[in-house]
Amino acid sequence: MSEQRFADRVAVRLGSDGVAEVCLSRADKMNALDAAMFDGLLLAGEHLRQASDLRAVVLHGEGRAFCAGLDMASFGRMAQGQSVGDDLADLVTRTHGLANRAQQVAWQWHELTVPVVAAVHGVAFGGGLQLALGADIRCVAPDARLSVLEMQWGLVPDMAGMALLRELVRADVARELIYSARVLGGEEACRIGLATLLAADPLARAREFARDVAQRNPDAVRAAKRLLKASPDADAASLLRAESVEQQALIGSPNQREAVAAALAKRPPVFSPPA
């Protein structure tokens, strides 16, 4: 497994099976988000977008927590009327397609072509939770603590949280979480749809899921993610057509034939890199 570090905050490990692990590595600060962490996550995302045979991603935090949210020093500067930093001084300008810099930190996992699984332990507060929401699936520990915490600081979710929350929970539930800024545990998070899987060891469960995904036809997995990303905003006619276009391209393709052959022979498939 090869490893690269970005901005001394984020480690990316890519295995021969195509599963990448993105680890937030600021354990002494519970992986809080500062300028260097933003840099590291954005560089990690760009690195993975260029990986030729990427199959799945596991996103997790080192030490006691997934991510505690924005660094407390940043809130201290806010309280004194100072800028949080030049990179966050202008939030309105779009710097990354649809998103600004802060939004891209979470949104990029939603946009990545392969499934992303977040393993959440300890806390995922504010921006840390929004980072996890960018993943396709969230595995959480029963004693994890999650919160859309921005209202406590007189703010609104602004790291793509609004766009990501609407796909996961009912509108009134999103309102309750945002307005109250309350902290909830892993079991409730799963019950309301904020999280996906409950696991005593969320990282082990996330790795297991990612390895399973890596054994599927990579062309079909990427096609499925494209369809799932389009579905919330697409009308029925557009989505039905997109479904047919993706399926027609898959049927009879080399990796689809290999999936069938392997299933019939009861052997592990050997896929070519994604088309």
Side-chain angles (χ1 to χ4, degrees):
M1 178 179 284
S2 63
E3 176 175 318
Q4 288 189 254
R5 295 188 66 85
F6 298 94
D8 197 34
R9 288 284 190 272
V10 178
V12 176
R13 305 177 186 95
L14 181 57
S16 59
D17 58 358
V19 175
E21 290 197 11
V22 178
C23 179
L24 282 66
S25 301
R26 197 187 182 203
D28 59 320
K29 299 292 185 180
M30 298 177 74
N31 301 314
L33 300 164
D34 63 356
M37 184 67 84
F38 279 121
D39 287 341
L41 285 166
L42 291 171
L43 288 168
E46 180 60 33
H47 173 70
L48 291 177
R49 280 192 293 278
Q50 297 176 19
S52 60
D53 196 16
L54 187 66
R55 303 293 179 91
V57 175
V58 174
L59 180 63
H60 63 101
E62 189 178 79
R64 297 180 294 127
F66 176 74
C67 178
L70 193 63
D71 189 279
M72 290 301 295
S74 299
F75 288 116
R77 288 193 291 272
M78 285 183 193
Q80 297 171 18
Q82 300 173 10
S83 172
V84 174
D86 293 340
D87 55 337
L88 297 179
D90 177 10
L91 298 179
V92 176
T93 299
R94 305 294 89 182
T95 58
H96 294 75
L98 298 176
N100 66 27
R101 176 179 168 81
Q103 291 166 335
Q104 181 69 3
V105 168
W107 189 250
Q108 64 182 348
W109 311 109
H110 176 77
E111 291 290 289
L112 200 64
T113 56
V114 302
V116 179
V117 192
V120 179
H121 73 292
V123 300
F125 287 166
L129 177 59
Q130 292 176 82
L131 176 61
L133 296 182
D136 295 77
I137 288 170
R138 281 151 298 285
C139 300
V140 300
D143 60 355
R145 293 180 294 145
L146 301 85
S147 177
V148 187
L149 197 62
E150 282 76 12
M151 195 63 68
Q152 176 174 308
W153 305 106
L155 300 169
V156 297
D158 69 338
M159 285 177 56
M162 293 292 188
L164 295 167
L165 268 174
R166 66 178 180 173
E167 294 187 25
L168 301 174
V169 300
R170 289 192 334 237
D172 61 325
V173 173
R175 287 172 166 83
E176 188 268 332
L177 294 173
I178 292 168
Y179 298 154
S180 71
R182 71 182 178 88
V183 177
L184 57 155
E187 291 187 11
E188 184 183 1
C190 285
R191 187 169 68 249
I192 66 175
L194 198 64
T196 318
L197 302 170
L198 196 67
D201 187 339
L203 180 54
R205 183 69 182 89
R207 286 169 170 161
E208 178 186 19
F209 183 90
R211 286 195 296 267
D212 182 66
V213 169
Q215 291 299 308
R216 310 294 177 179
N217 176 1
D219 299 324
V221 170
R222 291 177 181 227
K225 182 154 183 177
R226 285 193 294 269
L227 289 168
L228 289 164
K229 281 167 51 184
S231 60
D233 298 316
D235 60 76
S238 298
L239 191 56
L240 289 171
R241 177 172 177 76
E243 183 182 281
S244 299
V245 168
E246 295 284 9
Q247 192 77 317
Q248 185 164 304
L250 288 169
I251 293 173
S253 63
N255 279 338
Q256 193 267 329
R257 295 199 306 272
E258 170 60 12
V260 173
L264 291 175
K266 295 183 168 51
R267 61 168 174 81
V270 180
F271 293 119
S272 302

